[in-house]
Amino acid sequence: MKTIVICSGGLDSVSLAHKVAAENDLIGLISFDYGQRHRKEVEFAARCAERLGVPHDLIDMSHIGKHLSGSALTDDVDVPDGHYAEENMKVTVVPNRNAIMLAIAFGVAAAKQADAVATAVHGGDHFIYPDCRPEFTEAFEAMQAKALDGYANVRLYTPFVHIPKSAIVTEGAKHGTPFADTWSCYKGGETHCGRCGTCVERREAFHIAGVEDPTVYADPEFWKAAVEAH
């Protein structure tokens, strides 16, 4: 199955890229510049592509992204600290982001005669991000079948959609994912902050999975209090 992986450079999508490379035919990675406040993670996506020996396409949709305003990921809105499951994490929603990225990726996949587009949406995202839920991914795949009818047959591959992040850590370790060479933090500092929702979720996932976390955090102990408070 010739597969293109949407890769942000984060733990989930890099683990997915390694899984696809091991189990299928990985033919490339796609990343997006949607006007996010920092683009540090894209460097990690590029390194992943180089490591796996496939092309890396960075697609500029920043002119679109500037209209998807109101998110802490794109605007001058403080990134909240605390557990990923807290209500304030909804400030990180970028409206329709995944739907737009997937539509572009499916067009690229059809042009390159790929069999699938893979994305690393997972069970821990469902309550915050509507375009990470199984109902969305199933409906999107059905829509794309109509959009490409008679031209291409591209499936949507979402192997993590029903599992928590800890299971992604387990899967990533199985396929030799270099976790230290991934980036999750929303704040884009010199190291992972250890306090934002993605840092807390990342640290907790390694703990639950029983896998050593090689990540350097500016505040390596905050996650415990955040998890306990949650």
Side-chain angles (χ1 to χ4, degrees):
M1 188 168 67
K2 293 194 295 183
T3 305
I4 294 172
V5 172
I6 297 176
C7 186
S8 68
L11 185 153
D12 306 330
S13 61
V14 173
S15 293
L16 177 60
H18 278 261
K19 176 181 174 66
V20 170
E23 298 178 350
N24 293 287
D25 182 7
L26 177 66
I27 65 169
L29 305 185
I30 293 181
S31 300
F32 293 90
D33 176 356
Y34 58 90
Q36 56 267 53
R37 286 167 62 176
H38 74 82
R39 296 163 183 79
K40 185 167 184 173
E41 71 273 22
V42 173
E43 301 169 14
F44 292 83
R47 293 212 292 264
C48 178
E50 182 178 2
R51 185 169 57 246
L52 295 175
V54 296
H56 176 237
D57 292 312
L58 176 58
I59 295 178
D60 183 1
M61 50 177 271
S62 57
H63 293 295
I64 297 172
K66 70 181 181 180
H67 297 288
L68 308 179
S69 58
S71 171
L73 302 191
T74 55
D75 289 358
D76 189 18
V77 177
D78 288 340
V79 175
D81 293 340
H83 197 279
Y84 197 72
E86 293 177 3
E87 186 71 17
N88 62 2
M89 288 301 136
K90 290 187 177 179
V91 76
T92 63
V93 171
V94 178
N96 227 34
R97 177 182 62 175
N98 280 357
I100 296 167
M101 291 179 180
L102 281 168
I104 294 170
F106 263 75
V108 172
K112 293 187 175 182
Q113 299 183 318
D115 301 307
V117 170
T119 184
V121 296
H122 66 85
D125 284 338
H126 295 174
F127 65 97
I128 300 177
Y129 304 113
D131 54 3
C132 290
R133 296 169 187 161
E135 296 86 354
F136 165 77
T137 58
E138 291 163 8
F140 186 91
E141 185 174 32
M143 179 269 290
Q144 282 297 306
K146 298 294 185 183
L148 295 172
D149 184 37
Y151 180 75
N153 183 17
V154 182
R155 63 168 293 198
L156 180 56
Y157 182 47
T158 56
F160 301 157
V161 73
H162 294 293
I163 66 174
K165 197 178 190 80
S166 55
I168 297 176
V169 171
T170 301
E171 189 72 6
K174 173 183 172 184
H175 295 294
T177 303
F179 296 120
D181 208 17
T182 65
W183 185 267
S184 299
C185 184
Y186 281 158
K187 296 184 181 180
E190 187 66 26
T191 64
H192 283 70
C193 74
R195 299 181 63 89
C196 71
T198 50
C199 280
V200 171
E201 183 198 34
R202 178 183 175 110
R203 184 65 189 87
E204 183 184 19
F206 277 101
H207 175 72
I208 293 171
V211 174
E212 182 179 357
D213 184 357
T215 313
V216 176
Y217 298 98
D219 190 340
E221 299 300 324
F222 175 80
W223 74 277
K224 297 177 183 177
V227 169
E228 184 176 350
H230 172 67

